[in-house]
Amino acid sequence: MKKAMNYVYGPIPSRRLGQSLGISPIPKKACNYACIYCMLGPTDKMTNTPQMFMPVSDILDEFDQVLASGIPFDAVTFAGDGEPTLYAGLKELIIELKKRTKKPIALITNGALLSDPEVYDTCMLADIVMPSVNGYDEASFKRINRPHGDIDFEQVTLALKKFSRQYPGLLWLELMLIKGINDSTENLLKYQDFLHQFYMDKLYINTPVRPPVESFAQMVTHEKMLEAMDILKGIGIEDAYENGYASEISDDLEAILNITQRHPMNQHEIEHFLKKRNNTNIENIFRLLRSHPKIKIVHYRGIDTYRIK
Ligand code: SF4
């Protein structure tokens, strides 16, 4: 059995990126936002200052192991436990990764630090940048993202606007639609107006399909998603329940524990994952998970989601 890694995980099948090898260069919930829909739990490490949370070489060592093992992947994606641009080693890491792989490097970010010239330059190096845009004005921004006190909506917007004009890679914006919070037709028309200022390749429209940190941040209806796609000309992400998972760890229970450190899995995802691996005693794995001291089960919209405590 291969040992679990600390910073590199997957590859995880992604509708957008194929087999996506994940890198999480930050401790759990180090973030400059405390979004109401966050699936990672409360932001207990609120910070707006990039830090060298771990040496770049530690992450590269793990990446080199993956390369040496020959595991195929289609993209390298920065995401995971919090806001990746808060890792002060990100620029050096991307430069080093690009020496090692020709695969695209994608960065999932909230975009709040694009007004910092160092972070701006770092983002320019990635092949795909996926910033979130959830506020169309100061009030909606604060209500949904609950940013660090030093973050100013106008600054974030101006920086993203500039970035969208200069960035040579793929810019995929992502909007989180939340029932009763930002999904009225009036809200959608405000987003339409707001989003016009950015040059983007795609707009993805998401909704909280996994248990959010605030129980009032609920997913929108299918009809609402269709309305948003029509008004905003975006792509709806509604297949989250069907996403598969993969792991290089041979022990099934360990593999699930490793994946849930980054991505909570619901019961269907776990079952699908185990079936794919030809596990013949799926109920036993569920029994072990239910009694595991590290696992917390959250019941949301009729589905059990398993996440690390
Ligand atoms: S959703 Fe992303 S940006 Fe928002 S609090 Fe969670 S980790 Fe931070």
Side-chain angles (χ1 to χ4, degrees), residues 67-104:
L67 284 185
S69 73
I71 293 171
F73 60 89
D74 301 310
V76 181
T77 306
F78 284 99
D81 291 337
E83 172 48 41
T85 59
L86 285 168
Y87 177 47
L90 191 59
K91 188 181 208 171
E92 185 190 343
L93 184 54
I94 293 177
I95 290 168
E96 287 302 319
L97 288 173
K98 281 185 167 277
K99 290 179 190 164
R100 289 163 165 81
T101 180
K102 296 259 176 294
K103 297 286 162 66

Side-chain angles (χ1 to χ4, degrees), residues 29 31 33-35 37-40 43 81-83 110 145:
K29 276 320 291 269
C31 195
Y33 284 3
C35 304
Y37 59 81
C38 186
M39 66 175 189
L40 299 169
T43 299
D81 291 337
E83 172 48 41
N110 61 26
N145 295 124

Side-chain angles (χ1 to χ4, degrees), residues 50-296:
Q51 291 163 57
M52 198 54 110
F53 293 111
M54 68 284 292
V56 170
S57 58
D58 285 9
I59 302 176
L60 288 173
D61 283 350
E62 289 191 3
F63 187 78
D64 288 341
Q65 281 181 49
V66 174
L67 284 185
S69 73
I71 293 171
F73 60 89
D74 301 310
V76 181
T77 306
F78 284 99
D81 291 337
E83 172 48 41
T85 59
L86 285 168
Y87 177 47
L90 191 59
K91 188 181 208 171
E92 185 190 343
L93 184 54
I94 293 177
I95 290 168
E96 287 302 319
L97 288 173
K98 281 185 167 277
K99 290 179 190 164
R100 289 163 165 81
T101 180
K102 296 259 176 294
K103 297 286 162 66
I105 294 183
L107 177 61
I108 297 178
T109 172
N110 61 26
L113 278 170
L114 275 173
S115 55
D116 175 329
E118 184 67 22
V119 172
Y120 189 97
D121 287 353
T122 302
C123 292
M124 291 291 273
L125 297 175
D127 299 293
I128 304 164
V129 175
M130 297 185 247
S132 53
V133 275
N134 297 310
Y136 48 76
D137 61 13
E138 177 89 31
S140 51
F141 176 58
K142 285 194 166 154
R143 187 164 66 243
I144 298 167
N145 295 124
R146 301 189 298 195
H148 185 282
D150 290 349
I151 297 174
D152 174 69
F153 172 74
E154 292 299 332
Q155 256 189 7
V156 173
T157 306
L158 271 178
L160 181 60
K161 188 173 169 178
K162 180 178 163 200
F163 187 78
S164 81
R165 281 158 171 69
Q166 296 187 335
Y167 178 56
L170 290 170
L171 186 65
W172 298 351
L173 299 191
E174 187 167 316
L175 167 65
M176 186 67 79
L177 272 193
I178 306 153
K179 192 176 179 180
I181 303 280
N182 64 346
D183 69 336
S184 69
T185 304
E186 193 192 339
N187 293 146
L188 293 176
L189 292 171
K190 285 189 175 155
Y191 280 118
Q192 186 188 51
D193 212 34
F194 176 74
L195 290 168
H196 266 140
Q197 64 188 308
F198 307 114
Y199 292 163
M200 67 185 102
D201 295 285
K202 284 178 191 164
L203 171 72
Y204 284 101
I205 305 170
N206 210 339
T207 192
V209 289
R210 296 205 166 79
V213 63
E214 303 294 355
S215 57
F216 59 81
Q218 299 212 346
M219 63 190 288
V220 297
T221 60
H222 182 67
E223 290 68 34
K224 188 49 83 175
M225 184 59 85
L226 293 179
E227 184 192 353
M229 286 163 65
D230 185 43
I231 292 179
L232 303 175
K233 308 289 170 247
I235 302 157
I237 304 177
E238 288 195 280
D239 66 344
Y241 290 145
E242 280 132 47
N243 275 350
Y245 291 93
S247 173
E248 84 276 17
I249 299 169
S250 53
D251 181 271
D252 286 342
L253 180 64
E254 287 300 325
I256 290 169
L257 290 172
N258 183 247
I259 293 170
T260 49
Q261 273 180 23
R262 318 287 175 198
H263 292 264
M265 295 172 87
N266 71 38
Q267 79 229 42
H268 304 303
E269 289 165 338
I270 292 174
E271 191 176 339
H272 180 71
F273 176 76
L274 291 171
K275 277 186 185 156
K276 255 186 2 197
R277 290 163 65 111
N278 300 320
N279 185 296
T280 53
N281 198 349
I282 291 176
E283 194 38 51
N284 186 46
I285 297 282
F286 274 108
R287 205 169 40 75
L288 292 170
L289 284 171
R290 280 196 290 267
S291 58
H292 198 286
K294 277 192 183 164
I295 287 284
K296 181 178 175 195

